Amino acid sequence: MPITSSMQSANEPAPAPTFLTGIRIDGQILAHEDIYIGTDISAPITSNCKVTIGPDATVHAEIRAREIVVLGRVIGNVEATEKVALCDGADMRGDII
């Protein structure tokens, strides 16, 4: 079953990012808001917003999003409609599409 996050209405302020830390997820993650990953994930991530992989996180899957920021480790391909940022300390093993 996919994990989804809620969408905001046009009149609401932008929500703070959703943080995923201290848990293990196997499955699929679908997000409709900015999301920060701070744990190990073995699940494809799809978002129409920004996905940040924290410095202590490892993602063993494909990531598709508007913007992807990698501070930790990604083992899999990443595909962004706007940009991909690999920061100091990032370990990326896959293709940037």
Side-chain angles (χ1 to χ4, degrees):
M1 168 182 270
I3 296 172
T4 60
S5 60
S6 62
M7 295 180 65
Q8 72 183 49
S9 76
N11 296 332
E12 294 178 17
T18 299
F19 287 84
L20 297 178
T21 59
I23 58 174
R24 180 177 171 87
I25 296 175
D26 293 307
Q28 181 178 6
I29 299 171
L30 304 173
H32 298 289
E33 59 189 35
D34 291 352
I35 188 169
Y36 179 95
I37 306 294
T39 192
D40 293 345
I41 302 286
S42 295
I45 301 168
T46 303
S47 176
N48 57 358
C49 295
K50 179 180 177 180
V51 174
T52 301
I53 308 304
D56 298 322
T58 301
V59 175
H60 295 268
E62 181 177 271
I63 303 170
R64 291 182 178 179
R66 177 180 46 83
E67 180 180 348
I68 302 167
V69 177
V70 180
L71 300 156
R73 186 174 197 197
V74 175
I75 301 169
N77 297 338
V78 297
E79 181 177 351
T81 56
E82 289 186 14
K83 74 175 186 176
V84 174
L86 301 177
C87 301
D88 287 342
D91 181 6
M92 173 72 201
R93 298 179 190 205
D95 293 330
I96 298 173
I97 302 170

